[in-house]
Amino acid sequence: MWRSRAIGPGGGTERGRSPAHRTRCTGLRRGLPRESRQGDADPQRDRPAADRQRKRPVTSPLPAAVLAPGVVRSRPPRRALGRPADRPKRFFEYWGHEASLLPVDLQPLLRWRMARALRGQGVWQRLESFAVENRAEADALLARIETEGPLAASDVAGGKAAKGIWEWSDAKHALEWLFWSGQVASTHRRSSFERVYDLPDRVLPHAVLDIPTPAGVDARRALIARSARALGVATAQDLQDYYRIPPADAAPAIKQLIEEGTLFPVRVCGWQHQAYLHRDAKPGRKLGASALISPFDPLVWHRPRAERLFGFRYRLEIYTPAHKREHGYYVLPFLLDGALVGRVDLKADRKVRALVVQRVHVELGAPANTAERLLGELRLMASWLGMSSIVVAPTAVLPGLTAVSDIEVHPPVTA
């Protein structure tokens, strides 16, 4: 069985006669990427560099919105992503493009990342010391988990965190390094969204842990191939970002996939960079679906791709001063029939169990039934968030968008 501690110390396409000739314009397959369900993604992505250094805390007005990528891909919506004890575990939490809920069969393909983290590589600077000078502190926490069972940072005595969700205690930093290096795994999230840690062999299926660890180069090539299959057609940067593969590792993987016929170089009309088409990608088709998209969803997480695909410039403005915000504090794009046609600033008011629509912006050319379809998605979101009504603020002006009461709360179900 694999054990992390044994890793080591510290339109359409025209295909020509060869990959080099396959550079004609290709159409795009739009819609939701099929694989990832995103978890505790980092909203610091869109914050100014100075703010990232200060680690200014942020409060999410939609605490469960980071689970929305999984919810919108399962209809009817599923509020809970747990499972009965007798059902095999399908997802585990680890670093994908950010902290993500990933299919368990990906775990062997991410052990190279765990091995690097064990050596203090590829992790946040604050965590690097636990690979060397502060290793004893991390080992002591690991021993506690081995003896006592699952623990969260709040269960551990030690240096207290400053106020704010991005200001962590010393114990939390140590636990996060253990998590990143694969020495512990996340069992679940508490209602406060706090991660709970346990040993991998008490969290993950033994059938997965028993899979031999692939060479890093082979694992990264497999991840790039999965990225390409999920995205259909993508630039090298798109493929790298999907699982955050460093460019120096991604370039040889892409080259190998071209040589074996998994990827075909293509040109996409309007794109400035070389693109790659997965051999199993299907021609573009019209999608008759709608969804409110979380800021952490793979569809919009890589902002340059979202702008290229949809002509939709999207930024999370939680770190922007209120008077400078263009669209609102916590804004979700609205996907309608294969296009991003609007964005909604939402807040869950748990005191009155209301989903509050604070602001709405509709893109030019949005269809006439946008308000009607949006209201349907708001009802679904209110339901799985446990809200019994929708309140439309005076600042949210969209003809046809009205308040709703007596929403039937969707009971929590398992995934």
Side-chain angles (χ1 to χ4, degrees), residues 51-284:
D51 283 347
R52 287 197 295 270
Q53 293 300 317
R54 290 196 298 269
K55 288 188 175 180
R56 184 152 49 101
V58 60
T59 302
S60 170
L62 290 175
V66 289
L67 299 178
V71 174
V72 300
R73 287 163 174 79
S74 59
R75 299 297 177 100
R78 298 168 181 256
R79 184 181 176 197
L81 291 177
R83 62 185 178 91
D86 60 348
R87 183 181 298 178
K89 188 177 182 69
R90 299 168 54 206
F91 301 98
F92 78 113
E93 185 177 356
Y94 189 63
W95 292 101
H97 64 269
E98 285 293 339
S100 306
L101 293 175
L102 302 165
V104 291
D105 67 329
L106 273 178
Q107 196 270 354
L109 299 181
L110 292 165
R111 291 176 191 168
W112 63 272
R113 179 166 288 163
M114 299 173 187
R116 289 183 180 180
L118 195 64
R119 300 191 295 269
Q121 301 170 354
V123 298
W124 298 324
Q125 185 176 3
R126 179 63 179 81
L127 306 186
E128 292 175 359
S129 65
F130 295 104
V132 188
E133 58 263 33
N134 292 330
R135 184 67 172 267
E137 181 181 343
D139 285 345
L141 278 174
L142 183 59
R144 280 194 61 179
I145 292 173
E146 289 176 339
T147 303
E148 301 176 22
L151 290 174
S154 62
D155 300 325
V156 180
K160 292 185 177 180
K163 291 184 178 180
I165 65 172
W166 298 111
E167 303 294 343
W168 288 350
S169 67
D170 294 338
K172 174 62 174 176
H173 280 103
L175 287 167
E176 281 301 302
W177 177 75
L178 290 169
F179 173 74
W180 211 320
S181 60
Q183 298 178 79
V184 298
S186 174
T187 65
H188 66 287
R189 298 275 189 154
R190 290 178 175 169
S191 58
S192 61
F193 217 65
E194 183 181 26
R195 187 183 285 140
V196 179
Y197 310 86
D198 200 357
L199 300 182
D201 60 0
R202 297 201 292 238
V203 177
L204 301 172
H206 286 195
V208 171
L209 297 176
D210 288 341
I211 296 174
T213 299
V217 64
D218 296 331
R220 291 185 289 272
R221 184 173 63 251
L223 289 172
I224 291 289
R226 291 180 75 133
S227 303
R229 187 170 65 247
L231 297 173
V233 63
T235 65
Q237 190 181 50
D238 297 339
L239 296 174
Q240 296 164 19
D241 191 77
Y242 201 78
Y243 290 112
R244 290 297 174 89
I245 309 294
D249 294 316
I254 292 172
K255 181 180 179 181
Q256 292 165 3
L257 290 168
I258 292 171
E259 292 172 350
E260 70 181 34
T262 300
L263 295 182
F264 300 104
V266 296
R267 292 289 180 187
V268 178
C269 296
W271 288 17
Q272 297 180 356
H273 300 289
Q274 175 71 61
Y276 302 91
L277 181 74
H278 192 277
R279 65 186 175 195
D280 296 331
K282 300 182 184 302

